[in-house]
Amino acid sequence: GTSYEDNLREFTAMWCEETKQMKLDSVGGKVKKLDPSILARLCGKTTIAKIKKEDNWAKFPAQSMAKLEAAVTALEQDLDIDYNKFTPMIPHRDYVRDWVPPDPSSTLLRMHFTSRAKPKEDPRNIMVQHVAVGTWYYKVPPNATPQQWLDLRKNCHEMVYAQADNDDVNAKVPLRSSHGKAGGLNFVDNYITIVNDRPANRYGTEQDEAPSLYGIADARHQFQPDFFISCV
């Protein structure tokens, strides 16, 4: 039979086919309630139906599909009730979450949700890559380690007029040294580096120090299915 990774690849490929032609007028930011047909495609419900019909998934035992179908149903309910409704966030705080399978050895797949801080700034301030008046920043002690990075970022402040920060010991680092997508990608790059360096994620071999391939895929940066394989 096929492996877990092969089945996952087949499911996500079909899911992409089901959703890649959706338009902003049906799924965009102004949509408050999804059309039932759009909802079924977006949550993966039609994907499961098609893949059962067109491939050998119909032969799988019901219990082997139960968790996937339950996850799709949960996503369907969430999208139906809370579409385009977001939990209020503290603007100057990062928000990150990690997903690891219950049995880490069952698959190499890991998922990380990262949302970099976006503090409210005066638009009249000049956006610079160093700490200046109007910049939100945090301090890094001389003996800090990379694993403390996220915690250090939590203790951030805005530099304001007439309140000089004369701390000559700790380094002052902008909360957003680069704005926009470039800064967001830098944040993810730093985060993944720290995650990979955690003891639980290290191999104990030369692989820990080997180069890694980092790429993005979104509406403006799409690639062929074998892109990464060709690069490697």
Side-chain angles (χ1 to χ4, degrees):
T2 54
S3 66
Y4 175 88
E5 284 77 10
D6 289 335
N7 286 328
L8 176 63
R9 188 179 296 112
E10 185 177 4
F11 176 81
T12 52
M14 177 72 78
W15 201 358
C16 287
E17 289 297 321
E18 284 291 286
T19 57
K20 69 180 183 181
Q21 297 297 330
M22 291 183 175
K23 305 296 183 181
L24 286 178
D25 58 358
S26 60
V27 296
K30 296 182 179 180
V31 176
K32 302 305 179 185
K33 185 72 173 178
L34 289 169
D35 180 90
S37 62
I38 295 294
L39 174 61
R41 290 164 57 193
L42 199 59
C43 73
K45 200 171 183 178
T46 60
T47 300
I48 290 181
K50 284 191 175 183
I51 212 167
K52 280 184 174 180
K53 181 179 179 181
E54 299 175 7
D55 210 331
N56 62 351
W57 283 40
K59 301 177 183 178
F60 290 170
Q63 62 268 25
S64 66
M65 295 287 293
K67 289 185 177 180
L68 175 60
E69 291 176 336
V72 168
T73 299
L75 179 58
E76 179 184 27
Q77 293 173 348
D78 184 62
L79 292 174
D80 190 36
I81 297 172
D82 294 324
Y83 193 72
N84 275 331
K85 296 177 183 177
F86 303 99
T87 302
M89 308 285 288
I90 300 175
H92 58 271
R93 288 288 181 87
D94 305 315
Y95 185 81
V96 297
R97 288 293 184 272
D98 303 316
W99 177 84
V100 178
D103 178 8
S105 63
S106 63
T107 176
L108 295 177
L109 178 67
R110 302 291 185 270
M111 298 183 69
H112 307 281
F113 176 86
T114 63
S115 178
R116 185 182 63 152
K118 188 178 180 180
K120 296 179 180 179
E121 298 175 332
D122 190 331
R124 296 171 296 179
N125 291 329
I126 298 176
M127 294 183 183
V128 294
Q129 291 188 309
H130 60 274
V131 177
V133 171
T135 302
W136 281 77
Y137 69 100
Y138 62 101
K139 296 183 180 182
V140 179
N143 60 346
T145 66
Q147 292 296 335
Q148 295 175 288
W149 175 61
L150 284 174
D151 287 331
L152 291 171
R153 287 176 58 88
K154 293 177 182 178
N155 189 27
C156 57
H157 309 275
E158 181 183 14
M159 181 168 282
V160 296
Y161 289 102
Q163 293 184 18
D165 187 336
N166 298 318
D167 184 353
D168 296 326
V169 176
N170 301 307
K172 303 179 185 68
V173 182
L175 197 60
R176 296 195 300 167
S177 56
S178 296
H179 290 65
K181 182 177 288 186
L185 293 176
N186 288 341
F187 180 83
V188 173
D189 190 24
N190 290 340
Y191 181 71
I192 292 299
T193 300
I194 290 173
V195 168
N196 289 341
D197 201 40
R198 292 172 180 167
N201 297 330
R202 295 182 68 83
Y203 295 92
T205 66
E206 65 274 7
Q207 185 174 348
D208 291 329
E209 307 302 328
S212 59
L213 181 62
Y214 173 64
I216 62 173
D218 62 18
R220 298 178 182 83
H221 301 83
Q222 296 184 19
F223 44 78
Q224 298 301 316
D226 62 346
F227 175 80
F228 282 117
I229 296 175
S230 301
C231 288
V232 173

